[in-house]
Amino acid sequence: MALTIKCFATLSSYQPEDNENYPHQPGDTVASVMARLGLPDDEVHIIFINGRHTNREAPVADGDRLGFFPAVGGG
């Protein structure tokens, strides 16, 4: 069972080396995957599963694509 993980911008250092084949366990949620990756909870502001906005409590399933984004700034 595997996920695809994408960590964008300032979170890119947390992206696993084999980001297209990241293992997960039955019952995993976005939060449990974030914890294993070491992603700081306060730095992740936008989360997507398969291109749809979601939250930390959402369950993950085999083949899901997770995207993690920091706060977006600009000017």
Side-chain angles (χ1 to χ4, degrees), residues 17-70:
E17 194 168 306
D18 188 6
N19 71 308
E20 293 187 7
N21 195 31
Y22 189 77
H24 76 94
Q25 302 297 319
D28 266 346
T29 63
V30 170
S32 63
V33 172
M34 286 175 58
R36 279 200 309 280
L37 291 170
L39 277 163
D41 195 56
D42 62 339
E43 291 183 30
V44 177
H45 291 273
I46 302 170
I47 303 166
F48 286 96
I49 295 179
N50 301 326
R52 302 187 102 187
H53 188 262
T54 192
N55 60 53
R56 288 164 173 76
E57 293 79 33
V60 297
D62 194 37
D64 279 349
R65 297 178 327 269
L66 276 68
F68 298 101
F69 296 81

